């Protein structure tokens, strides 16, 4: 199914991982080796975490070209599905795309915009992330077929086919007896629309966003992020691996005194 439905960037990157990181049927790729390879290729790195972290912390990590990566594996009783990301999802879905520089830059755009963002805008950015990095589609080289670049699709053979297969105009919409959507709605990639689009986490997605290319996805995301209200703009320095901001930031200290109580600094 990857040959048929995965984007060309994914397939190119997967071949590199097979060559350099022991991606094969007989070995288990090691996160430390993969992270070292990614740093050489795109200056991205993996950082293992014990479980789920907040959207703000996760997105902030992307600003520093760091992807927080789970280590556990789904239970053997449910090999085809896990409600939370596991190592299969990370290594088969996310990692190959982090070998591609355009995709890494796209992911970092979301991360940089999250620094100093309001809770409301964090939610908007998290939705953009979900509808792109997790479940994004782009056009194939022929300009008509749909290919997957989102990790949630690339690590699920069932949803990969569901999201990308060609259908006739007569195929119905709606929900089947199993509670799954019969066919998805495909919308053009527009971060402003994606930022307002809710999503389920226990069924196939009813809505996917289709970019013209990864470059198109990145440029539109950058424009959307530039228009978000922010207390400062952040710029990543690849040489020092630090983030610089364009104005001083005032840091609050301590707990504000209640009215009429104590001295203030």
């Amino acid at each position: 199914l990857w040959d048929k439905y995965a984007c060309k960037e994914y397939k190119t990157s997967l071949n590199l991982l097979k060559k350099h990181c022991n991606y094969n049927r007989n070995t288990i790729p090691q996160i430390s080796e993969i992270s070292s390879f990614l740093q050489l290729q795109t200056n991205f790195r993996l950082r293992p975490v014990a479980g789920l972290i907040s959207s703000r912390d996760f997105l902030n990590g992307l600003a520093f070209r760091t992807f927080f990566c789970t280590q556990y594996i789904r239970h053997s009783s449910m090999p085809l599905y896990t409600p939370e990301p596991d190592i299969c999802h990370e290594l088969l879905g996310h990692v190959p795309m982090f070998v591609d520089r355009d995709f890494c830059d796209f992911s970092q755009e979301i991360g940089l915009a999250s620094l100093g963002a309001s809770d409301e805008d964090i939610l908007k950015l998290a939705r953009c992330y979900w509808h792109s990095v997790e479940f994004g589609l782009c056009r194939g080289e022929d300009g008509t077929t749909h290919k997957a670049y989102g990790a949630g699709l690339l690590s699920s053979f069932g949803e990969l086919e569901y999201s990308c297969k060609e259908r006739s105009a007569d195929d119905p919409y709606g929900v089947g007896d199993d509670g799954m959507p019969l066919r998805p709605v495909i919308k053009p990639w527009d971060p402003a629309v994606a930022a307002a689009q809710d999503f389920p986490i226990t069924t196939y997605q009813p809505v996917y966003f289709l970019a013209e290319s990864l470059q198109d996805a990145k440029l539109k995301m950058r424009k959307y992020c530039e228009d978000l209200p922010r207390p400062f703009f952040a710029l990543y320095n690849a040489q020092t691996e630090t983030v610089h901001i364009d104005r001083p930031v005032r840091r609050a200290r301590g707990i504000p005194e209640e009215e009429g109580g104590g001295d203030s600094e």
Side-chain angles (χ1 to χ4, degrees), residues 233-246:
F233 285 89
L235 181 67
Y236 181 73
N237 186 321
Q239 301 248 328
T240 60
E241 299 183 349
T242 56
V243 170
H244 298 269
I245 56 177
D246 65 346

Side-chain angles (χ1 to χ4, degrees), residues 18-246:
K18 290 177 181 178
K19 181 179 179 181
H20 298 285
C21 297
N22 290 319
Y23 264 55
N24 60 65
R25 295 177 182 270
N26 302 315
T27 61
I28 299 176
Q30 298 301 299
I31 291 178
S32 59
E33 295 176 4
I34 296 169
S35 186
S36 296
F37 177 70
L38 291 179
Q39 288 181 64
L40 291 174
Q41 292 292 118
T42 57
N43 200 29
F44 237 83
R45 71 191 67 202
L46 305 180
R47 177 166 294 176
V49 291
L52 295 177
I53 60 177
S54 71
S55 294
R56 182 180 296 276
D57 288 341
F58 180 82
L59 296 178
N60 284 179
L62 295 177
F64 295 87
R65 299 180 83 85
T66 297
F67 179 77
F68 292 113
C69 176
T70 57
Q71 303 174 78
Y72 64 89
I73 193 165
R74 64 194 68 185
H75 195 272
S76 58
S77 65
M78 297 185 67
L80 302 183
Y81 176 76
T82 173
E84 297 177 348
D86 73 340
I87 195 66
C88 296
H89 171 75
E90 312 288 41
L91 298 188
L92 298 177
H94 282 293
V95 166
M97 293 307 301
F98 284 124
V99 182
D100 182 81
R101 185 163 292 277
D102 270 340
F103 181 82
C104 289
D105 292 345
F106 168 77
S107 300
Q108 189 179 28
E109 290 289 345
I110 301 176
L112 289 169
S114 75
L115 298 176
S118 66
D119 289 344
E120 179 183 358
D121 286 338
I122 287 291
L123 178 59
K124 292 178 180 178
L125 292 169
R127 287 174 177 155
C128 287
Y129 178 92
W130 181 270
H131 292 299
S132 55
V133 177
E134 289 291 350
F135 290 96
L137 299 175
C138 62
R139 291 198 184 278
E141 294 181 89
D142 60 4
T144 58
T145 55
H146 299 168
K147 304 296 183 181
Y149 71 89
L153 302 177
L154 293 164
S155 61
S156 167
F157 74 85
E159 192 163 6
L160 178 59
E161 184 173 34
Y162 160 81
S163 62
C164 293
K165 73 178 182 180
E166 295 183 45
R167 294 176 172 85
S168 72
D170 297 329
D171 286 352
Y173 291 93
V175 178
D177 294 337
D178 58 358
M180 293 289 187
L182 296 175
R183 63 178 296 179
V185 175
I186 308 294
K187 296 183 178 181
W189 169 240
D190 182 340
V193 176
Q197 179 70 54
D198 284 328
F199 52 83
I201 61 173
T202 57
T203 66
Y204 291 170
Q205 299 301 298
V207 176
Y208 298 102
F209 287 84
L210 176 70
E212 296 300 312
S213 63
L214 290 186
Q215 178 76 357
D216 169 65
K218 179 177 75 172
L219 293 177
K220 287 180 178 176
M221 193 69 225
R222 178 177 295 166
K223 178 65 170 63
Y224 175 76
C225 291
E226 288 173 350
D227 292 340
L228 286 177
R230 284 187 277 174
F232 54 79
F233 285 89
L235 181 67
Y236 181 73
N237 186 321
Q239 301 248 328
T240 60
E241 299 183 349
T242 56
V243 170
H244 298 269
I245 56 177
D246 65 346

